[in-house]
Amino acid sequence: MTGIADDKNILKKITGAKKIASLEEEVNGFAARDIRANAGTDFWYGNIGLNIAGRVLEVISKKNLTCSLKQNFFNPLGMRKTTSAHWMQVL
């Protein structure tokens, strides 16, 4: 419910037409998009909010998301074979 317009051509995104170098680059790209609706007033499925939350975690913790996830979630939960690559597929 961020209000940020989602990709119009989701098929292009799924097929990997554009690779994002970092979460910072992706979230900066979101900031350049048009606002679809006032935040909290419209719902549609997408991962923009999760990616923004991940970037906020990076800025606050001063660590990249991979490091934060490993240190704060995966290791304490005994998830030794899980990597951020698995989790980032959700994002």
Side-chain angles (χ1 to χ4, degrees):
M1 297 180 68
T2 63
I4 300 170
D6 231 342
D7 286 335
K8 291 179 182 162
N9 192 346
I10 193 70
L11 183 58
K12 202 179 244 188
K13 185 176 180 181
I14 291 170
T15 59
K18 182 181 179 203
K19 298 292 182 188
I20 304 297
S22 68
L23 192 53
E24 178 180 9
E25 180 184 329
E26 184 173 23
V27 171
N28 287 343
F30 296 156
R33 292 184 182 180
D34 291 332
I35 299 298
R36 173 184 162 144
N38 289 332
T41 62
D42 191 14
F43 177 80
W44 62 94
Y45 183 79
N47 293 325
I48 291 175
L50 289 173
N51 293 12
I52 293 170
R55 178 64 185 140
V56 168
L57 180 62
E58 285 184 340
V59 171
I60 291 171
S61 69
K62 295 181 174 59
K63 298 178 184 172
N64 69 32
L65 186 59
T66 299
C67 182
S68 292
L69 288 173
K70 186 174 181 180
Q71 182 180 6
N72 297 308
F73 297 101
F74 303 149
N75 287 347
L77 293 171
M79 299 170 69
R80 305 285 183 236
K81 295 183 179 181
T82 302
T83 67
S84 62
H86 293 113
W87 194 77
M88 291 299 287
Q89 290 174 3
V90 174
L91 299 180

